Amino acid sequence: QRAYREWIGEAIGVLRREDCAHLVTVGSEGPSPWPSYVNNDLEADHQHADFMTIHVWPQNWNWYDPAKPNLNKAWDKGVKYITAAVEVAHKKGKPLVIEEFGLARDGGDLSAGAATTERDDFVRRMCEHAAGKREVAGVAVWAWGGEGRPKQREMARGDEWIGDPPHEPQGWYSVYDDDAATIAALAECARVMQ
């Protein structure tokens, strides 16, 4: 990890020399629920960065199962994770951005038009919680799929990009242009975060 963190410092130094007018960060998800496995350390990884980042992935981290939804359990774990990151950001005097967060459609249905009740509740909770923390400078839901729709579960060459990375099921976390309830929750999020 020492070489990784030295490289971060060098890379940020180059960016600052070339363009000192932009903030620079690592883009890390933070220590996740498995800090000894991923070897991320929020404080050490961001020592040269202008702000800190974390991700919150309840389903990826086995806090949430859309087939047997228990959003309260997942949310409690998410709050603990965010609280720990806020404490580090406060200690270091750096803003924190919850750079990626998301939840699958109800029941794990990947198709456009499937219900988004749990996800919309998760978005509202995240935004209200983040807005109450002075250290949290912003949040970003993953990911805007817009007009794109997956052709199949696995991404193939020539498929429209809808936000989900190729190694994950297509449509897993995508927000489509006709997801009216999610778009309304995001609009409310923008208002709350101001």
Side-chain angles (χ1 to χ4, degrees), residues 42-43 52 82-96 133-136:
L42 193 62
E43 185 175 338
M52 299 177 156
I82 294 164
T83 299
V86 164
E87 289 172 3
V88 173
H90 180 78
K91 174 183 163 190
K92 297 308 290 179
K94 293 184 180 189
L96 174 71
K133 307 287 180 239
R134 186 174 44 117
E135 293 81 4
V136 178

Side-chain angles (χ1 to χ4, degrees), residues 137-152:
V139 298
V141 72
W142 187 271
W144 180 249
E147 295 176 358
R149 300 295 186 272
K151 292 180 184 173
Q152 61 263 336

Side-chain angles (χ1 to χ4, degrees), residues 8-46:
I8 289 172
E10 290 170 17
I12 287 176
V14 169
L15 292 170
R16 286 198 176 120
R17 281 191 300 279
E18 295 298 318
D19 183 1
C20 62
H22 290 87
L23 298 176
V24 181
T25 194
V26 177
S28 169
E29 69 180 16
S32 79
W34 309 282
S36 61
Y37 173 72
V38 296
N39 292 315
N40 286 351
D41 178 302
L42 193 62
E43 185 175 338
D45 293 348
H46 290 88

Side-chain angles (χ1 to χ4, degrees), residues 109-126:
D109 188 336
L110 299 177
S111 60
T116 59
T117 308
E118 295 282 308
R119 176 175 71 192
D120 302 338
D121 188 15
F122 183 62
V123 167
R124 281 189 287 278
R125 289 182 191 205
M126 181 66 73

